Amino acid sequence: MAEKENLPEELENELDEDMAEEAAENTDDLDEADAASEYNDSAAQFADLEDALAEEKDKYLRLFAEYDNYRKRTAKEKTETYQNASVQCVEKLLPVLDSFERSLEAECTDENFKNGMNMIYNQFKNFLTQMNVSEIEALGAEFDPNIHNAIQQQDGTDYASNYVCAVFQKGYMLGDKLVRPAMVAVAV
């Protein structure tokens, strides 16, 4: 600065301009370097945030899939539990139905008693129908080991081979689930 005082004014102005340009160039270089550094830092932070977001999204999708599977599994188990309980209940009632049918086939002299028994039997059958219980059609049907229990084979019947020719105990289905297979004789 002391040199600056001894120089002519023109040179002094020129020197001030040169120093200002140098300072501006240094500042521009520093600003560009700072901007590039700041950009790189921001890009790295952005990439980290994208990775974290992708990871969280993956966790969310996996959790959602697990929950959906859990919901479907429990709904299926609930339906199966209800159906199994219904099957067990109907299974316990079938011997009562068999006894009713045998009692209706027996001779009875009191018509009022027989009519009353028929009414109760019909109510019982209606109840089973409402519960979606159906009798397996066995007599004259082709033998199916999935719904028939063959306990005997018979020769010389009017039925074709491998067809049910006699029913010893009726079989029942609850919806599409077998409650009790029909005990049958099969023609040979």
Side-chain angles (χ1 to χ4, degrees), residues 119-130:
M119 289 173 62
I120 295 170
Y121 174 75
N122 289 333
Q123 282 181 328
F124 195 33
K125 289 286 281 186
N126 287 338
F127 165 74
L128 291 176
T129 302
Q130 290 172 354

Side-chain angles (χ1 to χ4, degrees), residues 99-100 103-104 112-122:
S99 296
F100 248 120
S103 69
L104 290 175
N112 289 333
F113 178 75
K114 189 158 183 115
N115 287 339
M117 291 294 283
N118 268 327
M119 289 173 62
I120 295 170
Y121 174 75
N122 289 333

Side-chain angles (χ1 to χ4, degrees), residues 81-94:
T81 301
Y82 175 76
Q83 190 173 26
N84 289 337
S86 297
V87 166
Q88 288 177 352
C89 180
V90 169
E91 197 172 28
K92 302 278 187 210
L93 290 173
L94 289 179

Side-chain angles (χ1 to χ4, degrees), residues 35-107:
S37 174
E38 190 175 312
Y39 174 78
N40 289 337
D41 290 345
S42 295
Q45 281 180 328
F46 184 73
D48 290 344
L49 289 174
E50 279 185 328
D51 291 343
L53 180 62
E55 186 178 321
E56 292 302 318
K57 183 178 180 182
D58 183 57
K59 284 181 185 177
Y60 169 76
L61 290 175
R62 288 178 189 274
L63 181 64
F64 182 78
E66 285 179 25
Y67 173 73
D68 193 43
N69 290 338
Y70 168 77
R71 185 182 53 78
K72 289 176 184 175
R73 184 176 59 250
T74 55
K76 182 181 175 185
E77 287 173 356
K78 182 179 176 183
T79 302
E80 287 175 356
T81 301
Y82 175 76
Q83 190 173 26
N84 289 337
S86 297
V87 166
Q88 288 177 352
C89 180
V90 169
E91 197 172 28
K92 302 278 187 210
L93 290 173
L94 289 179
V96 176
L97 182 65
D98 293 338
S99 296
F100 248 120
E101 289 173 345
R102 280 191 299 275
S103 69
L104 290 175
E105 292 172 1
E107 289 294 321

Side-chain angles (χ1 to χ4, degrees), residues 133-139 141 144 146-148 167 169-174 177-182 184:
V133 176
S134 59
E135 184 179 320
I136 296 173
E137 296 298 323
L139 188 61
D144 181 359
N146 295 320
I147 58 173
H148 300 130
V167 177
Q169 186 179 44
K170 293 179 182 178
Y172 291 92
M173 303 276 291
L174 177 63
K177 192 163 186 159
L178 181 67
V179 177
R180 179 176 80 183
V184 297

